[in-house]
Every structure is written in C-alpha cells, then in structure tokens.
Amino acid sequence: MKTIHYAITLALLSHSYSMAQDGGISTEDVNLSIAGQRLNVSAGIILDKLSLGKDRQIFVTPVVRGDENREVTLPSLLVSGRNMHFAYQRGALKGFDAISAHDILAEVRRENGKPQKFEYLTSIPLQKWMRLENARLAFVYDSCGCGVDKGQIIMEEIPLRLNPAKEMRTAMMTPAVTELPVEIHEGKARVQFEVDRTELHAEPFTCRNGQKIDNREQLRMIDDSVSYALSDPNVEIAGISICGYASPESPYTHNDFLATNRSKALAEYLADRYSLPRERCSYSAVPENWKEFREQVLESKEISEAQRTDLLELIDRQAYGPSDYDAKEKELKTSPKFAQLYRTKILPEWFPRLRATTFAISTRLKPMSDRQLAEIIMTSPEKMSLNQMFRVARLYPEGSEEFNRTIDIALKHYPDDETANLNAAAAKINSGDYDAAKALLLKAGDSAEACNLHGIIATAEGNFEEAQEWFEKAGNLPEASKNTDLLK
C-alpha cells in the first residue's frame, strides 16, 4: 500500500466570534493544516474584553469532536489574574486539581483594560475520523477548572473541513439514444375474404359464388382502435402488426399462402389508410388455427363428452410438419368418429370463426423539443426514453430541485439501467447522501465515471488511499484527475 502524504491548509475564519462572559473572549484567524500524520491548530485568542479578578483563573481549551462521542482535548491556555499568575509562576498551584486536570500549553497574565492577544499553536496526531465531514473544532471557556465537559463554548463549533469530498467533481453519463417506449393496443377483427382469394374488399362485395362480403364493421373496429390509440395528441403510430389465422381445411401449405397474403393485403390497406410507411405495418400468419379450434371444443355444449375427448386427442396429437397437419384434417373429414360432426357443425359453423385477424397498434411519442419533454415527464414519463429524461434534466442547474427530481424519475422508470443508477448516484453524492449513492453504485457498472464516484465516497469516509486507487481506475477521466489533485 502506498504511503500518501497530505498537506491541506484551510483558513476557516477571517472574522471573530465572541461571547459576553467576564468581559468576553473571542478568536480570530483559526487555521488548521495537515502535515504528514499530524493536525496543526493555530488561532488568535483575543482577551481584549476580558476583565479577570486578581484571584481568578480561566482555561481556554480547544477540543476536536466527531460523531459517536469521539473527542480529543488539546492543550489549554491558562489565563490568570495578577495574584494567581504569580502563584503559578512560583509553582504554588501544582497540587491543585484544576491545574493537574489540564494539559496546559501556556499561562498568561491578564492585563485588564489593555488589548491582549495570545497566538495559540499546537499539533496533535491526526486520526482518521478527523478527516470525516462532521469533524469540528470548539473553543471551550472553563472558569472553574472543572474540565471541558462543564465549560461553555466560546463560539460556534467550526467544521474542520479536512475532507475534500464536497469539492470533488462527479461525472454523469449521457444515456444512449434508443427506440422510444411503445404502448400496445391489441384487438381482433374477422375480415372476410373470397374463397381462395387474397384481395381485401373494404366495401361490400359479391363473390363469384354469390357470397356477400361486407367488411365495413370489422374495419371500423380497427379504425376505432387506432383512434383510441391516438387519443393522446402527443403520440403517433409507431407500427401496426397484423397476424392472420386460417382454419384447418385444405392443405396446410395452401392455408399458409392464403393466411400470409391476406395479412399482407390488410397491412398494406392500413398503411395506405393512415399514411404510414409500408415498413411500419408488419404482417405474419398462422396457417391453421388449431389453438382456437381447441378452445371451441372445450367450450362447446353441443357435443358429447366422448366426442370432446376424441377431438381433444386429435387436436393435441404432435405435428412435425405440413403432412401431419393434413393427416389430422383428413381424419376429421373421414373418421366415423368425426365425419358427421365435421359436415354439420365443425366445417360450416366452427371453422369460419377461426378465420380471424389480430392486430396490435404501437404508439410512441412524437418528436418534440426538450422543453416539451419537460412537460411530458410530469404527466406521462413512461412514454419517454432514458435519453430524453436526461435531456430534460440538463435543462436545469445540476443539483437543483428540478434536476434531482428528473434524475429520480429516470431511475424510477429505468431501475435496472446502469446509466440511470450512475447518474442517480452522482446526484446523491452532490447532495451529500453518500450512503444512498453507495447503494446505487451496486447497479451502476464499472465505468470510469462509476470508479470516480467510488473514489469520492471513499474520500468522504476518510479512506484516502482507497480513494486514490479508485481515481486511478477511472483512467483519463478529467473529473478523476481533478479529484486526485484535491487529494494531494
């Protein structure tokens, strides 16, 4: 492990604090510095307003404090009245409890009514907790010699500020541009086609065999679904997917041809109707709709239980290719168990209901400016990509309430995304919540930006050597280089 030496000098106060106690004591020019593994403390202790009786003494004692009752008491300045000063000089006070209870740096006689300043300077071993953010320095006024626990603080406790974590720079990542989230609206229509034909008839049509086809109601169902999908003025159609289903009569390959091309015809019709590029309307097919045939058999109240059992056994028989499906259809037509039911019920009533078309309408946000997206994120964030959310965040000053709220929304909607977790961790560090940042970094990956954040957290925890290692892992990241300079 490397040995790293730090020399941080911070002028914490350029003005003085005072309190009305025996005329008052104040301090000025409180300075702290780290040299090697020692903490240097210097301050000007101003006695100008202190009026001290000739037979009295007071102790002014600096104390370094941290959380969890951590505390180090520094040597005291003993200020004496005239008589007590001479007694101290002669060594007459050595047996007194108040004197023996204090580590006295220096003793001075108070010249009442005269300006008087003592230049306090001492050095103590540096402890790890003193580098933490909550470490602070207090000057305690003790007029009874009872110790710092009984004394009064001369002024507000002063943060040591020996930890540079708050000055360190985070680096966020811009999320990759991805496809926008889509909302799916699904439905089913039974668009009719002429026997053995694939042309779509949108208007009433009479077939060669006299059959009348009227698809207006079914196409209106699709229109209604599209209208509902577009009820939000901020969205557009991302795509329409069509899947056509044929019934099991006729050879499998022929059914495949019919189902595929009928789906294609409907997809092209919808692309033209809604002025969509053809590639936004996709189509597929299920040559034989055995799945819904099975559901009909299960639900039917017009067949016996024996017929139901026989039909389900046939339907569930494993098929490995078109010839297997054709064999099942032939058995339906010719087997004594099914032939009459096939002619009277299955072919004329059940199979036509299997010739259906399912559709799925996908919608997404229209292209819009970042300012417009800032409004969308407050009402419909689920429609936005992570990249769009980050663009909105960048509209606000980093660390502002609006910025942090946007980063939190992004994390809520993309909780497992590494970039979302990284940026949320950086925001938490900037607000001083290192524990929350550490938890988020568990899902933030091992990018240079993530290593840099790990380094800042290690710094905040007083682990400077570990922090240096993290910054080195961040490579040439400019923020990590700046943070390394702060450590030095």
Side-chain angles (χ1 to χ4, degrees):
M1 180 71 68
K2 296 179 182 177
T3 299
I4 303 176
H5 298 285
Y6 309 95
I8 304 175
T9 303
L10 304 171
L12 298 178
L13 298 174
S14 58
H15 55 282
S16 63
Y17 293 80
S18 63
M19 62 172 288
Q21 174 75 34
D22 284 342
I25 296 176
S26 62
T27 60
E28 67 179 15
D29 298 331
V30 179
N31 290 275
L32 300 106
S33 64
I34 295 177
Q37 294 300 313
R38 296 194 68 81
L39 172 65
N40 298 326
V41 180
S42 65
I45 299 178
I46 310 301
L47 307 175
D48 297 0
K49 296 181 180 180
L50 175 65
S51 180
L52 193 63
K54 61 183 180 180
D55 294 322
R56 294 192 60 201
Q57 289 179 312
I58 63 169
F59 296 86
V60 179
T61 307
V63 183
V64 178
R65 291 172 172 159
D67 285 349
E68 300 178 2
N69 298 319
R70 296 181 175 120
E71 184 173 287
V72 173
T73 301
L74 280 65
S76 303
L77 169 66
L78 174 60
V79 184
S80 305
R82 178 180 179 278
N83 293 344
M84 296 301 286
H85 169 68
F86 289 124
Y88 183 84
Q89 291 292 319
R90 292 194 301 269
L93 303 179
K94 284 186 177 180
F96 284 69
D97 290 343
I99 300 297
S100 58
H102 288 77
D103 177 12
I104 298 174
L105 175 71
E107 186 269 346
V108 296
R109 173 185 172 183
R110 172 63 184 129
E111 302 285 349
N112 291 335
K114 296 181 180 180
Q116 191 173 1
K117 175 181 177 181
F118 178 78
E119 295 292 348
Y120 184 94
L121 176 63
T122 193
S123 173
I124 60 173
L126 179 66
Q127 299 185 34
K128 179 180 176 180
W129 61 265
M130 295 178 183
R131 297 172 173 171
L132 301 180
E133 182 182 345
N134 50 19
R136 56 210 183 269
L137 174 69
F139 283 85
V140 177
Y141 175 100
D142 175 10
S143 60
C144 67
C146 306
V148 294
D149 293 339
K150 305 292 185 180
Q152 293 177 287
I153 297 177
I154 291 174
M155 57 187 181
E156 295 179 10
E157 293 185 333
I158 308 163
L160 295 191
R161 301 191 191 281
L162 300 179
N163 192 303
K166 278 192 172 295
E167 307 302 320
M168 289 183 169
R169 302 183 183 183
T170 60
M172 294 189 174
M173 292 180 68
T174 300
V177 177
T178 59
E179 293 288 337
L180 293 179
V182 296
E183 186 174 358
I184 308 296
H185 306 266
E186 296 181 320
K188 179 184 288 187
R190 300 192 184 277
V191 179
Q192 291 182 301
F193 289 86
E194 189 175 0
V195 175
D196 256 2
R197 305 286 295 183
T198 61
E199 297 87 358
L200 174 67
H201 298 291
E203 299 298 328
F205 178 79
T206 302
C207 304
R208 291 168 296 178
N209 63 1
Q211 175 192 7
K212 295 185 181 299
I213 292 177
D214 188 350
N215 285 319
R216 289 177 296 179
E217 182 178 349
Q218 299 300 311
L219 294 175
R220 193 178 301 119
M221 289 172 56
I222 301 177
D223 277 338
D224 290 344
S225 295
V226 171
S227 297
Y228 177 78
L230 296 178
S231 58
D232 183 346
N234 294 311
V235 304
E236 64 180 6
I237 294 177
I240 299 178
S241 300
I242 300 296
C243 184
Y245 294 80
S247 56
E249 82 270 19
S250 299
Y252 185 94
T253 53
H254 183 62
N255 289 333
D256 188 11
F257 170 82
L258 290 177
T260 300
N261 286 281
R262 287 172 177 175
S263 297
K264 178 182 178 183
L266 180 57
E268 291 175 346
Y269 164 82
L270 295 175
D272 292 339
R273 180 167 179 77
Y274 301 115
S275 301
L276 296 173
R278 290 291 174 92
E279 61 269 17
R280 283 205 204 172
C281 288
S282 60
Y283 60 90
S284 59
V286 176
E288 295 185 355
N289 194 357
W290 289 92
K291 181 176 179 290
E292 282 197 75
F293 182 29
R294 190 181 198 283
E295 292 172 0
Q296 289 175 333
V297 171
L298 285 172
E299 296 171 2
S300 176
K301 298 180 181 179
E302 302 170 310
I303 59 176
S304 67
E305 287 305 314
Q307 288 175 316
R308 195 187 319 278
T309 299
D310 291 339
L311 283 170
L312 290 175
E313 182 181 351
L314 172 68
I315 293 169
D316 292 340
R317 184 187 304 161
Q318 187 68 47
Y320 298 97
S323 60
D324 294 329
Y325 287 107
D326 290 344
K328 286 206 253 187
E329 185 216 347
K330 181 178 179 181
E331 187 171 341
L332 275 174
K333 290 179 180 179
T334 61
S335 171
K337 292 189 291 186
F338 309 123
Q340 183 177 356
L341 182 63
Y342 180 83
R343 291 192 303 271
T344 60
K345 185 67 64 177
I346 295 176
L347 183 62
E349 296 183 18
W350 292 6
F351 275 7
R353 295 200 294 270
L354 302 182
R355 302 162 195 154
T357 301
T358 60
F359 57 88
I361 303 161
S362 305
T363 59
R364 66 186 175 200
L365 279 179
K366 294 177 180 177
M368 54 183 63
S369 69
D370 293 350
R371 288 290 177 188
Q372 291 172 310
L373 289 173
E375 298 179 7
I376 296 296
I377 201 171
M378 301 309 298
T379 57
S380 304
E382 71 281 354
K383 292 182 169 67
M384 296 175 60
S385 69
L386 184 59
N387 178 272
Q388 288 176 319
M389 292 179 176
F390 191 70
R391 283 160 46 194
V392 170
R394 285 300 191 197
L395 293 174
Y396 310 111
E398 191 166 328
S400 66
E401 181 181 349
E402 296 85 354
F403 180 91
N404 290 339
R405 181 177 63 240
T406 305
I407 292 297
D408 287 343
I409 291 173
L411 179 65
K412 178 181 178 181
H413 288 274
Y414 294 91
D416 298 319
D417 186 273
E418 288 187 357
T419 302
N421 279 275
L422 173 86
N423 291 342
K428 293 298 183 184
I429 284 175
N430 291 335
S431 64
D433 191 346
Y434 298 108
D435 288 339
K438 186 183 294 188
L440 290 166
L441 283 175
L442 295 175
K443 298 171 68 175
D446 56 359
S447 63
E449 290 81 0
C451 291
N452 180 60
L453 297 184
H454 280 292
I456 296 175
I457 293 173
T459 301
E461 294 176 343
N463 300 318
F464 288 5
E465 291 82 4
E466 179 186 342
Q468 180 65 38
E469 293 173 1
W470 278 114
F471 294 139
E472 289 174 359
K473 288 181 181 179
N476 296 324
L477 187 72
E479 291 80 2
S481 299
K482 294 291 184 181
N483 293 340
T484 299
D485 291 341
L486 284 172
L487 274 184
K488 296 177 180 178

